[in-house]
Amino acid sequence: MEFVELAKSRRSAINFQSDVKITVSELQEIFEIVKTHPSSYNLQTTHYYVATSEEKKAQVKAASFNQHKTLSASATIIVCGDREGYKKAPDLYESMKLLGIIDECEYKETIETIKNLYENNPTLIEEDNIRNACLSAMLFMLAAKDKGWDTCPMHVKNVDLIKNIYNIPENHEPVLMITIGKSDEKIRPRGYRKPIGEFVHFVD
């Protein structure tokens, strides 16, 4: 699918065909694309927790004020940011050093910069995790649409309960939920979109 067509055809699904299943291999094809998303200092702090079983999705529905699409979806996914992700910088940058992309001096300077920036700075960690997760999630939804799947981004309700259902570790903080499947109804006409002049501001 051409990009313009892809961007225009991706819509938030209202509900899904409950009898449609998605396989791990189909999801992995999408995540192969998603892993190319940009992230602050290339720290790749975004993590996905995927539920496909009826049992798990039923628990998610109960924790999400009975929103039916969390159950009818082929998979209900929690997108998280890792509060300790910056600590993995040495491992992430080690491969770049071994490949000769950066030298030892640049490696040490980069690791020190990341440590000084994020250590004891929970506000920046939270903000960057949200930015990184949202960039990743948008790419997930576009990649899914390119593979013929519909999606819907959603709030995460009852965070502590959701973390327990998905067995999400303490340092991974849910940012948003994505439901994925095949839409069960005709997509409604797109809602009003502001003209460019109302949201783009040229300043020079």
Side-chain angles (χ1 to χ4, degrees):
M1 190 182 298
E2 293 294 328
F3 178 74
V4 174
E5 180 187 356
L6 176 66
K8 289 184 176 180
S9 64
R10 194 224 65 80
R11 304 287 298 282
S12 294
I14 298 172
N15 205 4
F16 300 94
Q17 300 173 39
S18 58
D19 59 339
V20 176
K21 307 300 180 185
I22 190 168
T23 65
V24 170
S25 61
E26 287 173 313
L27 285 163
Q28 287 176 331
E29 286 182 3
I30 296 171
F31 286 121
E32 279 294 328
I33 300 169
V34 173
K35 72 181 185 181
T36 65
H37 78 91
S39 61
S40 180
Y41 284 94
N42 195 36
L43 291 174
Q44 304 167 60
T45 54
T46 302
H47 290 256
Y48 288 78
Y49 290 84
V50 184
T52 58
S53 72
E54 297 305 304
E55 178 184 2
K56 282 287 186 185
K57 290 187 295 177
Q59 293 177 35
V60 176
K61 179 186 176 185
S64 303
F65 300 108
N66 287 316
Q67 295 185 79
H68 185 65
K69 69 178 71 175
T70 58
L71 179 61
S72 63
S74 302
T76 298
I77 301 168
I78 305 297
V79 188
C80 295
D82 183 359
R83 290 198 297 266
E84 297 179 0
Y86 72 93
K87 296 179 181 179
K88 298 179 176 64
D91 295 334
L92 291 168
Y93 279 85
E94 181 69 22
S95 60
M96 296 178 67
K97 184 176 67 172
L98 293 174
L99 291 170
I101 299 172
I102 58 176
D103 59 25
E104 180 68 23
C105 181
E106 187 177 359
Y107 170 82
K108 289 182 178 178
E109 287 180 354
T110 302
I111 300 306
E112 188 65 21
T113 296
I114 291 171
K115 179 181 178 182
N116 291 337
L117 188 64
Y118 290 102
E119 199 167 61
N120 301 317
N121 196 345
T123 299
L124 179 61
I125 290 173
E126 180 182 15
E127 291 174 349
D128 266 1
N129 278 344
I130 292 171
R131 280 188 284 266
N132 294 340
C134 289
L135 286 168
S136 180
M138 188 69 244
L139 185 54
F140 176 91
M141 290 187 290
L142 288 171
K145 188 61 180 177
D146 191 53
K147 299 289 185 181
W149 296 94
D150 299 303
T151 55
C152 183
M154 302 169 65
H155 291 99
V156 180
K157 313 290 186 182
N158 292 318
V159 171
D160 290 340
L161 184 53
I162 287 293
K163 291 185 77 168
N164 183 59
I165 292 170
Y166 283 84
N167 196 28
I168 298 173
E170 180 62 30
N171 57 299
H172 288 185
E173 193 62 29
V175 175
L176 73 156
M177 177 189 293
I178 299 176
T179 45
I180 179 172
K182 301 285 187 178
S183 179
D184 76 342
E185 55 188 70
K186 184 177 180 180
I187 299 296
R188 294 182 298 186
R190 188 182 293 278
Y192 171 78
R193 287 296 185 266
K194 293 180 180 179
I196 291 173
E198 289 189 17
F199 69 92
V200 178
H201 310 277
F202 295 97
V203 298
D204 55 5

